[in-house]
Amino acid sequence: SYVLTQPPSVSVAPGKTARITCGGNNIGSKSVHWYQQKPGQAPVLVIYYDSDRPSGIPERFSGSNSGNTATLTISRVEAGDEADYYCQVWDSSSDPYVFGTGTKVTVL
Amino acid sequence: QVQLQESGPGLVKPSQTLSLTCTVSGGSISSGSYYWSWIRQPAGKGLEWIGRIYTSGSTNYNPSLKSRVTISVDTSKNQFSLKLSSVTAADTAVYYCAREPTYGSGRPTYYFDYWGQGTLVTVSS
């Protein structure tokens, strides 16, 4: 089955940039979506199709995808960005909807 | 603004069947523009897709759960439902319902744009 690997945690100071990676075999050939999940809440879509932002998501959130790594970048990090972040792809050869292992972003 | 709300028993005994319903408001489940999915998350763990249904009743399931899962839709009530049979403690999780647009930018989307708040189901005797 297709596996998406994320770092368990990322720490960042307020105002700085956080980069969350999502590794998968030739992930650059797939569309990657990203979700933000705050404690006790449902996930919220923050990036779709690698780099598109849904309405209402700040421009500080951006995404890229190439080779074996997709990246979610959060610029000018704020305390309210502290959450778990999950990448997700669709893979026809396995469990169709594959989620990454999740990354906890801590704002110092 | 579309809203999804899960409902159902919070406690299920081992070997029994877990049953949940997702009620959709602010939009019609029959619009034909969306798939409707169930996703679960054990405490402190990641997300697992369970299955989805289209307004026509067509379903797709996670191969690892397929033998135990049934998803159905009731368009008259704007609801869709999940049944998971022969549950064990490993099925204890927060269960979410979610919406997936069928197409975006001329291609399948395969992402979830709206989620319910989630409901905790515990499997225990």
Side-chain angles (χ1 to χ4, degrees):
Chain A
S1 62
Y2 193 77
V3 176
L4 294 174
T5 302
Q6 299 180 235
S9 62
V10 168
S11 298
V12 59
K16 299 300 185 181
T17 298
R19 294 181 179 84
I20 305 160
T21 58
C22 175
N25 185 34
N26 197 26
I27 195 174
S29 67
K30 303 180 182 298
S31 290
V32 180
H33 318 299
W34 291 91
Y35 302 88
Q36 174 193 69
Q37 186 179 33
K38 296 182 178 180
Q41 298 184 19
V44 172
L45 181 70
V46 293
I47 292 288
Y48 63 99
Y49 290 155
D50 297 339
S51 59
D52 290 347
R53 274 178 292 102
S55 173
I57 300 300
E59 292 183 7
R60 301 184 297 103
F61 289 82
S62 62
S64 62
N65 183 21
S66 179
N68 293 316
T69 304
T71 302
L72 173 68
T73 301
I74 311 173
S75 304
R76 301 181 299 283
V77 166
E78 303 174 355
D81 298 330
E82 194 163 274
D84 293 327
Y85 291 82
Y86 293 91
C87 56
Q88 179 247 315
V89 302
W90 184 83
D91 181 73
S92 61
S93 64
S94 65
D95 304 347
Y97 297 83
V98 182
F99 288 93
T101 49
T103 298
K104 181 176 181 59
V105 170
T106 300
V107 181
L108 301 172
Chain B
Q1 177 87 345
V2 67
Q3 292 186 317
L4 293 81
Q5 178 68 59
E6 305 88 351
S7 60
L11 181 64
V12 181
K13 288 182 168 50
S15 80
Q16 294 191 342
T17 296
L18 177 160
S19 296
L20 296 174
T21 295
C22 181
T23 301
V24 180
S25 58
S28 173
I29 203 169
S30 303
S31 75
S33 297
Y34 304 101
Y35 294 103
W36 305 93
S37 278
W38 288 97
I39 297 162
R40 69 181 183 178
Q41 183 175 36
K45 296 189 178 181
L47 298 158
E48 180 181 35
W49 178 76
I50 299 170
R52 73 177 187 182
I53 192 165
Y54 188 60
T55 184
S56 64
S58 172
T59 54
N60 301 99
Y61 299 132
N62 186 324
S64 67
L65 298 170
K66 186 174 183 178
S67 64
R68 299 193 292 129
V69 174
T70 302
I71 296 176
S72 59
V73 64
D74 187 337
T75 55
S76 67
K77 295 182 179 179
N78 228 32
Q79 296 175 334
F80 63 107
S81 298
L82 167 71
K83 291 188 186 298
L84 181 66
S85 64
S86 305
V87 297
T88 69
D91 295 310
T92 294
V94 174
Y95 285 75
Y96 296 100
C97 55
R99 188 184 85 168
E100 172 196 347
T102 53
Y103 281 90
S105 303
R107 51 177 164 161
T109 66
Y110 299 129
Y111 59 76
F112 307 101
D113 62 350
Y114 283 95
W115 298 60
Q117 65 184 29
T119 187
L120 174 63
V121 178
T122 302
V123 179
S124 175
S125 56

